[in-house]
Amino acid sequence: MASKRKRINVKADDGSIVILVLWILAILALLGLGLGFATSLDQRLVSYQRDRLTALYLAKAGYVRALAELRRDPTPQVDSFLDPWAHSPEAFREAALGGGSFTVSYRLRGDGGSDGLVYGVVDEDRKINLNTAPKAVLIMLPGMPEEIADSILDWRKQRALGERRDRAFEVLEELLLVEGMTDEVFQALRPFVTIYTDGKVNLNTAPREVLKALGMGEGLVNKLLRFRSGRDDIRGTGDDQIFTTLASAGLQLNAFDSLTPQEAAQLTNLIVQ
């Protein structure tokens, strides 16, 4: 009887050992899974930080490339679509750097209303300055209701506590804080307004919508755009023409395509503003 009890005890001990081993294996498996997850998470974080840093320096490279092209401008006193910074796929499209590449581009609306992709830098002087434009210009911008134009003027007239100067828009997105402004109106205005200029508009790059907002009639706008695009009526080709100075714009345009007295008056009014 004693020997039977001893064999039974041995079997019971064997079962306990098996259960203990299984628990140890389960714990080790959980630890392994946890360690694997932590390692995978660390790898993803490292990869994210690497990609984020790469993207940052690619963006900086695009900025430096833009500055370099601006310095290469053969006519720094006059800005036009013929300048190397305005449209140069060779310089700005998928420029390779290290293991990545950068692209500097923007959407430019054509006369037909469709947007074309341009590889280069936006000329802010082609837009209307929100901080200086009078109501007569603001209400002529695409999608601009008169009440929102009035709200923009009211915003500019506000003065911060202790300041004597009018309140200016410091970022374009502040337009969304103007009374009555909607996202739809903001998106319609965005391609044509700026806060970064002295208020003078560049006739060499201004789009049709901006030229009309400045008080030009349809006929004068068409002649000006044809002058810029040259005889082939294609922007950015060799026969494009530019206005060398604002004062000479009337003479240059009239030599290209005769102006009516009304068109000449419209252009003169713009020049003397």
Side-chain angles (χ1 to χ4, degrees), residues 39-226:
T39 302
S40 175
L41 182 61
D42 288 341
Q43 289 176 342
R44 288 199 297 268
L45 288 173
V46 169
S47 177
Y48 169 76
Q49 292 294 341
R50 183 188 64 244
D51 293 344
R52 186 169 178 269
L53 193 61
T54 299
L56 172 63
Y57 280 97
L58 285 172
K60 287 185 176 181
Y63 170 74
V64 172
R65 172 61 61 84
L67 289 179
E69 294 300 321
L70 286 168
R71 293 192 184 101
R72 289 181 54 233
D73 188 348
T75 56
Q77 70 280 6
V78 180
D79 292 333
S80 74
F81 288 116
L82 295 177
D83 291 328
W85 52 263
H87 180 55
S88 177
E90 297 80 10
F92 292 113
R93 181 170 59 187
E94 296 182 2
L97 180 65
S101 65
F102 64 84
T103 295
V104 180
S105 64
Y106 64 98
R107 292 282 177 182
L108 183 63
R109 179 169 298 180
D111 290 338
S114 59
D115 291 344
L117 188 62
V118 177
Y119 297 97
V121 181
V122 179
D123 177 25
E124 288 296 302
D125 284 329
R126 70 194 301 269
K127 304 175 183 180
I128 299 294
N129 191 317
L130 283 174
N131 290 320
T132 60
K135 180 180 178 179
V137 172
L138 291 175
I139 61 175
M140 292 296 292
L141 288 168
M144 175 71 82
E146 184 174 358
E147 57 269 21
I148 293 183
D150 289 332
S151 296
I152 290 174
L153 296 177
D154 290 340
W155 174 284
R156 285 168 23 185
K157 290 176 183 178
Q158 295 177 15
R159 297 186 177 183
L161 186 63
E163 292 188 1
R164 296 183 178 180
R165 62 183 179 86
D166 290 347
R167 181 183 185 184
F169 290 95
E170 296 182 357
V171 294
L172 202 57
E173 287 71 18
E174 280 187 313
L175 265 179
L176 292 169
L177 303 177
V178 169
E179 184 178 357
M181 180 61 68
T182 65
D183 185 66
E184 181 181 1
V185 174
F186 176 73
Q187 296 301 332
L189 291 173
R190 191 168 193 163
F192 311 113
V193 294
T194 183
I195 57 171
Y196 300 112
T197 69
D198 60 3
K200 295 180 180 179
V201 175
N202 185 358
L203 294 182
N204 287 315
T205 57
R208 176 182 295 273
E209 294 84 352
V210 168
L211 295 173
K212 293 178 71 172
L214 292 173
M216 293 187 184
E218 191 71 26
L220 179 57
V221 171
N222 289 334
K223 290 178 180 179
L224 191 148
L225 292 178
R226 284 199 301 269

